[in-house]
Amino acid sequence: EVQLVESGGGLVKPGGSLRLSCAASGFTFSSYSMNWVRQAPGKGLEWVSSISSSSSYIYYADSVKGRFTISRDNAKNSLYLQMNSLRAEDTAVYYCARDFSNLGFDIWGQGTMVTVSS
Amino acid sequence: QSVLTQPPSVSAAPGQKVTISCSGSSSNIGNNYVSWYQQLPGTAPKLLIYENNKRPSGIPDRFSGSKSGTSATLGITGLQTGDEADYYCGTWDSSLSAHVVFGGGTKLTVL
């Protein structure tokens, strides 16, 4: 079965750090660009970051640039998001998503909740 | 404030047709492919349309996509109560900081 499973979310204080993971299975992970997309409670989708299949190309939303780092380990079929200097406005459900074709995100994980609060 | 503009809500009766618009600019929709997503309450988004008008395997042909200039449209025919959800458009924006952008979302109510 093709699936993505996120983990690593939780409650963290402002200024703290968290590392999210996304485990892929059922497809050739190393062939696809991957993304992190977040959704604050009651709000719309917000793209966070993208990484190409070989990690050659990496992009970030302005709102997280300099604080978040996306990476992947194709040998472990895993995607990561290192989040530092967290702020209250980073509170959201974080999804990993596969880029099937030209930014068509066809496979999404179930999401992991990140809450930044003192 | 989203770069892509969608109507906050649309509604129609079961069996009817509805369209959802997504308006952008030359830096995004005008020169890039558009995707559409459906998000049912409490679930992850689901890809409905990619590359402007292509449907992934398993998506019924009741769902269609089109693009003209700097706007895109999602069409849904034969509305069902199960179509009640939030719908988002997305594309690449090649302005100062290249990035992916989503519309603000449209809540579809099937009356």
Side-chain angles (χ1 to χ4, degrees), chain B residues 72-94:
Chain B
T73 302
L74 173 70
I76 311 173
T77 60
L79 275 173
Q80 303 172 1
T81 55
D83 295 332
E84 197 160 281
D86 293 322
Y87 292 83
Y88 297 90
C89 56
T91 187
W92 182 258
D93 190 299
S94 48

Side-chain angles (χ1 to χ4, degrees), chain A residues 9-69:
Chain A
L11 175 63
V12 61
K13 289 181 168 55
S17 297
L18 214 52
R19 189 195 196 206
L20 305 184
S21 298
C22 171
S25 59
F27 65 97
T28 306
F29 179 73
S30 60
S31 295
Y32 295 90
S33 292
M34 296 294 297
N35 299 264
W36 288 99
V37 177
R38 69 184 181 183
Q39 187 169 35
K43 302 296 184 182
L45 302 177
E46 181 188 14
W47 171 80
V48 173
S49 183
S50 296
I51 186 168
S52 62
S53 58
S54 59
S55 304
S56 297
Y57 299 96
I58 289 175
Y59 303 95
Y60 296 99
D62 288 343
S63 58
V64 307
K65 200 172 294 183
R67 300 187 298 123
F68 290 12
T69 302

Side-chain angles (χ1 to χ4, degrees), chain A residues 2 4 32-33 35 37 45 95-109, chain B residues 33-40 43-65 74-76 83 85-91 100-102:
Chain A
V2 175
L4 297 170
Y32 295 90
S33 292
N35 299 264
V37 177
L45 302 177
Y95 297 100
C96 60
R98 183 179 85 167
D99 184 350
F100 165 64
S101 178
N102 290 305
L103 298 180
F105 299 167
D106 68 329
I107 305 298
W108 296 67
Chain B
Y33 288 115
V34 177
S35 299
W36 287 93
Y37 302 88
Q38 175 194 63
Q39 188 176 33
L40 299 170
T43 69
K46 176 183 180 180
L47 179 65
L48 293 177
I49 299 290
Y50 68 101
E51 293 181 1
N52 301 334
N53 54 20
K54 296 179 181 178
R55 283 177 285 106
S57 172
I59 301 300
D61 58 7
R62 300 189 299 109
F63 295 91
S64 64
L74 173 70
I76 311 173
D83 295 332
D86 293 322
Y87 292 83
Y88 297 90
C89 56
T91 187
V100 177
V101 290
F102 289 104

Side-chain angles (χ1 to χ4, degrees), chain B residues 26-29 31-32 91-101:
Chain B
S26 58
S27 68
N28 42 67
I29 292 178
N31 285 286
N32 294 285
T91 187
W92 182 258
D93 190 299
S94 48
S95 57
L96 284 176
S97 57
H99 53 285
V100 177
V101 290

